[in-house]
Amino acid sequence: GAAPGCAGARSPIQSRPSKSGRGLTPDAIREHAPKILTTAQREAYFETGFLCAEGLIPDAWLKRLNALSEAFIDESRGVTVSNEAFDIGPRHSSDTPHVRRLRALVDRHPDFWRFAAESPLADIAADLVGPDVKFHSSKLNYKWPGTGEIVQWHQDIPAWPHTNYSPVTLGVYLTDCPAAQGPLMCLPGTHNGSIFVHRDDAGAWTGSVRAADLATVAVSRAADPAAPPRPPLPPHARPAHPTPPH
């Protein structure tokens, strides 16, 4: 049979802008002692633009999130087209659900908001972007077997409404996602590089980096930040990253 897919929750969190209208600099963030992460972990994030940190989410939370995920997948069996809750894939049916994304998690169930507000997530974000943080949004992504689940090379910030680079996305794998299942990859150091155009030659939005621009970076250096079991994965708003085929 087909290999199982991966599931992971993502929550963009941003620091409130400084007086300059930008996020805090690493030096300013270093003035605040980390609450959850080690100093070495925080420095790795500043250097590479992403971080893998194991053992930070209690098992009870992971079990609850997986139970909620299963309940919503079951609910999706009665859905035939995408709506405000479900982003439905082309192979979706009542017998074989194909949900690409559960949207706006905190609007779906109170426990999703409890996870955002009461788990270590907010303190992890504060360790990375500064102590004054606010929640922006959340979603639960699913990756099923097949080439249709590829996400091309892109940066997050061009698709977001923010006017500075303070957001950090905290991603938590709910299930193991070995290399064969195409986990998220990140290109170290691209958070300090160019913001690439995410449109085609005609100016239409594609959500991915142009091939000519991609040829200017060493994509062979892309790293899988997390080895199983998959821990929280905070990427900066700017690193280039794809998810390969499953």
Side-chain angles (χ1 to χ4, degrees):
C6 304
R10 300 186 71 192
S11 296
I13 299 176
Q14 70 179 107
S15 65
R16 295 182 185 273
S18 62
K19 291 181 179 179
S20 67
R22 301 179 180 179
L24 296 180
T25 65
D27 282 343
I29 296 168
R30 290 185 183 101
E31 294 176 1
H32 305 273
K35 295 182 178 181
I36 302 291
L37 302 177
T38 66
T39 298
Q41 287 173 324
R42 185 157 67 174
E43 290 301 321
Y45 172 80
F46 293 154
E47 179 179 355
T48 65
F50 56 88
L51 174 68
C52 162
E54 299 187 39
L56 302 184
I57 304 300
D59 288 342
W61 269 121
L62 294 176
K63 290 178 181 178
R64 180 57 181 149
L65 294 174
N66 273 294
L68 286 170
S69 172
E70 292 174 4
F72 277 102
I73 289 292
D74 191 54
E75 181 181 325
S76 78
R77 296 176 187 274
V79 176
T80 58
V81 296
S82 297
N83 56 28
E84 64 179 10
F86 296 103
D87 178 3
I88 297 300
R91 302 189 300 275
H92 183 76
S93 70
S94 59
D95 293 331
T96 309
H98 181 195
V99 177
R100 289 183 293 210
R101 177 174 296 141
L102 182 61
R103 296 165 163 160
L105 291 185
V106 298
D107 295 333
R108 307 280 79 84
H109 192 282
D111 281 353
F112 284 128
W113 172 247
R114 287 187 55 238
F115 177 63
E118 299 175 15
S119 77
L121 286 185
D123 283 338
I124 295 171
D127 285 349
L128 297 173
V129 300
D132 193 5
V133 299
K134 61 180 179 180
F135 172 87
H136 180 262
S137 59
S138 61
K139 59 188 175 182
L140 178 54
N141 289 338
Y142 298 91
K143 184 167 186 178
W144 305 91
T147 57
E149 304 301 321
I150 296 174
V151 177
Q152 301 294 341
W153 281 95
H154 67 283
Q155 295 164 300
D156 287 341
I157 195 65
W160 291 354
H162 303 81
T163 56
N164 62 60
Y165 302 132
S166 65
V168 59
T169 297
L170 303 184
V172 180
Y173 282 95
L174 301 188
T175 59
D176 186 20
C177 189
Q181 294 184 355
L184 181 146
M185 308 286 284
C186 289
L187 193 55
T190 48
H191 64 307
N192 290 324
S194 301
I195 300 297
F196 295 108
V197 174
H198 287 58
R199 297 179 181 273
D200 63 20
D201 292 339
W205 174 258
T206 63
S208 59
V209 179
R210 295 176 179 178
D213 290 333
L214 197 58
T216 67
V217 296
V219 295
S220 62
R221 295 190 300 108
D224 171 7
R230 302 281 165 183
L233 175 68
H236 189 280
R238 294 179 58 172
H241 58 284
T243 54
H246 185 323

